[in-house]
Amino acid sequence: MRYGVILPGGPAGAQVEQAVLAERAGWDAVFVWEAAYGVDAWSLLSAMAMVTSRVQLGTMLTPLPWRRPWKVASQVATLDQLSGGRAILSVGLGAIETDLPSTGEVVDRRERAGLLDEGIDLIRALWSGSTSFHGAHYDYECARDDLTEVVRPVRSRIPIWVVARWPRPRSMRRALRCDGVIPEFSGEGGPEGARSVREWLGTRGVGAEFDLIAEGETRADDPGSAAVVAEWAAAGATWWLESRWEMPHHSPERMTQIRDRIAAGPPG
């Protein structure tokens, strides 16, 4: 089991300081969220890359149907270069029932699903060096290859994690084109739900190297937190992400709480 922390937000400088603190406290990864308007996730992660050396860095998550896949591919590959191969891309359909800005993007679930699937394929094609992609939703063609060559990722395969709803077959099949799954449970969740997801993956030839992500909130002063996380690990989860989603996220009290939790280290 590896341990990441999802930063709830706040000014860019404060979040960079939290990333440094997280690395010192023993966390394995730092994630930031990506909204339509707010602190830019990729600028923020690049700044973090310059002041850390070990933690992996990524989004939780990028609403890919509302982004240009070639732009996202460029941003992630640039981060991977700046960080020496520590980038992770987490993608999903995008949340529409939130208090985030409404920008007129497509909200139809089926259409967003098609954009998500094709966007993942296009990003993979670009990272592998392709200069041509033509699908139902996206067309990409470039006569020159120098742009692709200079932005090649450090790693041969940057991890892509995707949100998938268990046990919906179509949603789960999307995970098979990626490197990890962030499950949303319809019905029983928790460690038992994670065990079912891991078993389903196994029947499709997906091994233990495939990441299964769990997230939640633990207290540093609660000795039972480690046991809770251990149940997820026993069920096949490979990452625990410490999350604090309550709003508003930038109050002085809230920022003190997240700093204290980061400083206390992972629940394991």
Side-chain angles (χ1 to χ4, degrees):
M1 177 72 82
R2 286 174 287 180
Y3 303 92
V5 58
I6 305 172
L7 303 185
Q15 293 192 64
V16 172
E17 292 175 359
Q18 290 169 2
V20 173
L21 179 61
E23 182 164 89
R24 291 174 180 170
W27 298 88
D28 299 305
V30 174
F31 297 90
V32 302
W33 55 289
E34 187 172 6
Y37 181 78
V39 174
D40 179 67
W42 300 104
S43 300
L44 181 60
L45 291 167
S46 295
M48 291 175 180
M50 296 294 93
V51 293
T52 60
S53 60
R54 182 185 58 80
V55 289
Q56 298 190 61
L57 301 165
T59 50
M60 189 56 63
L61 46 70
T62 294
L64 190 56
W66 299 335
R67 302 288 186 267
R68 298 294 186 186
W70 44 87
K71 184 63 174 179
V72 174
S74 301
Q75 292 169 316
V76 182
T78 300
L79 174 63
D80 202 56
Q81 289 186 358
L82 291 174
S83 66
R86 292 184 281 139
I88 295 174
L89 174 62
S90 302
V91 296
L93 294 176
I96 59 176
E97 296 178 358
T98 68
D99 294 329
L100 298 176
S102 176
T103 57
E105 300 284 356
V106 58
V107 296
D108 178 76
R109 188 177 187 87
R110 184 180 294 274
E111 188 173 354
R112 281 184 293 147
L115 289 165
L116 177 57
D117 289 340
E118 204 166 285
I120 292 170
D121 292 343
L122 174 51
I123 288 172
R124 282 286 182 219
L126 292 171
W127 286 345
S128 68
S130 177
T131 59
S132 179
F133 182 96
H134 302 286
H137 301 281
Y138 297 115
D139 282 295
Y140 179 91
E141 189 75 39
C142 186
R144 47 190 292 190
D145 61 4
D146 58 317
L147 301 175
T148 301
E149 287 299 319
V150 297
V151 78
R152 281 291 185 95
V154 173
R155 284 178 289 184
S156 60
R157 187 174 176 91
I158 296 175
I160 297 180
W161 295 349
V162 65
V163 175
R165 184 170 291 276
W166 173 260
R168 294 182 181 174
R170 182 175 180 181
S171 184
M172 288 302 301
R173 284 196 298 270
R174 180 175 298 121
L176 300 178
R177 68 198 330 131
C178 298
D179 307 282
V181 61
I182 309 162
E184 289 184 342
F185 296 105
S186 296
E188 183 178 18
E192 285 306 312
R195 183 173 286 105
S196 297
V197 170
R198 179 60 76 183
E199 290 172 354
W200 182 90
L201 292 168
T203 63
R204 282 147 183 84
V206 178
E209 74 284 353
F210 186 91
D211 283 317
L212 199 166
I213 292 87
E215 66 171 284
E217 187 168 337
T218 62
R219 290 174 47 187
D221 58 355
D222 180 10
S225 293
V228 170
V229 176
E231 290 182 17
W232 283 95
T238 58
W239 279 88
W240 173 265
L241 303 188
E242 191 74 19
S243 58
R244 298 288 192 280
W245 292 117
E246 299 94 314
M247 300 292 178
H249 55 67
H250 65 290
S251 67
E253 179 183 9
R254 194 74 179 130
M255 296 299 281
T256 298
Q257 289 174 353
I258 190 63
R259 283 187 61 86
D260 289 347
R261 183 63 194 89
I262 292 171

